[in-house]
């Protein structure tokens, strides 16, 4: 048994992380495989198999870049959905604009609420906004998964486009929550100076 992965598995992120080719992934398993792959392809371990240390370092850097890209792709629902569509040769229309005006209106309203809450350092508003976004993320994820399984490509593409927007919004609300909470705690520290 070899300690390295066949190079062909670097072409398939699911195979690289020993995951079934499906939308639903086990995040704990992804995390465990990331640590295993990072250890396996660490420059010191790659150097054991190659006499040329410069080549070993270069190969290790290439593997690390692919491993990190694969992990990021499989960890996020929007990129995972896009990757699955690419594997099914259905990703050509992902960059088109979202045509659902109701979704766009709702999304713009959430974006404005988020921006106002961040500027106003309104922790309560951010805390109320976060579950709304995660709920919409869950709905679009389920919508994608169903459409993907049924090979309903237009719906899967639409759900992926919406996931991209919602993932970004979720990241922004999470950052806003962290920033506002950190600012609140730093104000508390001033009381003790």
């Amino acid at each position: 048994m070899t300690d390295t992965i066949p190079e062909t598995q670097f072409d398939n992120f699911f195979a690289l992380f020993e995951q079934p080719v499906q939308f639903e992934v086990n995040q704990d398993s992804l995390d465990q495989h990331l640590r295993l792959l990072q250890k396996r392809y660490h420059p010191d371990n790659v150097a054991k198999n190659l006499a040329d240390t410069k080549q070993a370092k270069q190969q290790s850097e290439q593997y690390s870049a692919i491993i990190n890209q694969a992990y990021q792709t499989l960890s996020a629902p929007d990129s995972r959905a896009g990757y699955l569509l690419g594997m099914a040769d259905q990703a050509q229309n992902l960059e088109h604009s979202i045509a659902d005006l109701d979704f766009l209106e709702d999304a713009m309203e959430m974006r404005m609420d988020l921006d106002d809450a961040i500027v106003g350092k309104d922790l309560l508003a951010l805390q109320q906004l976060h579950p709304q976004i995660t709920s919409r993320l869950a709905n679009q994820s389920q919508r994608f998964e169903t459409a993907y399984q049924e090979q309903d490509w237009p719906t899967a593409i639409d759900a992926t486009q919406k996931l991209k927007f919602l993932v970004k919004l979720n990241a922004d609300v999470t950052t806003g929550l962290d920033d506002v909470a950190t600012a609140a705690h730093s104000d508390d520290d001033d009381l003790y100076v």
Side-chain angles (χ1 to χ4, degrees):
M1 182 170 161
T2 178
D3 229 14
T4 59
I5 292 174
E7 291 214 20
T8 55
Q9 283 190 329
F10 279 94
D11 294 337
N12 181 326
F13 294 170
F14 289 98
L16 180 62
F17 277 83
E18 298 180 15
Q19 296 288 313
V21 179
Q22 62 186 28
F23 182 71
E24 192 66 36
V25 295
N26 181 318
Q27 189 64 45
D28 290 338
S29 177
L30 279 180
D31 295 344
Q32 290 172 354
H33 275 83
L34 175 65
R35 288 188 291 281
L36 174 73
L37 290 167
Q38 287 173 330
K39 182 179 178 183
R40 187 177 291 165
Y41 290 98
H42 188 274
D44 293 341
N45 291 330
V46 173
K48 291 177 188 175
N49 298 327
L50 294 171
D52 183 353
T53 56
K54 184 177 179 180
Q55 182 185 4
K57 184 177 189 282
Q58 183 180 17
Q59 191 174 27
S60 176
E61 288 172 357
Q62 289 173 340
Y63 287 148
S64 291
I66 293 169
I67 290 164
N68 289 333
Q69 179 187 4
Y71 177 78
Q72 294 301 323
T73 298
L74 296 180
S75 291
D78 60 329
S79 56
R80 186 170 59 248
Y83 188 75
L84 283 166
L85 287 173
M87 290 179 76
D89 199 27
Q90 297 296 320
Q92 60 274 10
N93 295 323
L94 277 178
E95 299 308 316
H96 290 174
S97 298
I98 296 172
D100 182 344
L101 296 180
D102 290 335
F103 175 84
L104 291 173
E105 184 179 328
D106 181 54
M108 291 306 294
E109 189 174 313
M110 283 191 298
R111 169 55 67 190
M112 289 187 300
D113 290 347
L114 173 59
D115 291 344
D116 290 346
I118 290 172
V119 169
K121 297 186 184 339
D122 187 344
L123 187 60
L124 182 61
L126 288 168
Q127 289 170 334
Q128 291 172 344
L129 192 55
H130 194 242
Q132 293 175 31
I133 296 169
T134 55
S135 172
R136 285 169 175 79
L137 260 171
N139 289 341
Q140 289 301 327
S141 292
Q142 183 59 51
R143 189 169 166 254
F144 173 85
E145 187 167 21
T146 301
Y148 178 77
Q149 290 172 355
E150 295 173 357
Q151 296 185 356
D152 176 359
W153 303 126
T155 301
I157 290 167
D158 182 65
T160 303
Q161 291 170 322
K162 291 173 180 175
L163 280 169
K164 285 182 181 192
F165 184 87
L166 292 168
V167 165
K168 171 77 171 112
L169 200 62
N170 192 51
D172 291 348
V173 78
T174 300
T175 300
L177 282 164
D178 290 344
D179 291 348
V180 171
T182 300
H185 288 302
S186 70
D187 290 344
D188 292 344
D189 292 344
D190 292 343
L191 297 174
Y192 300 104
V193 176

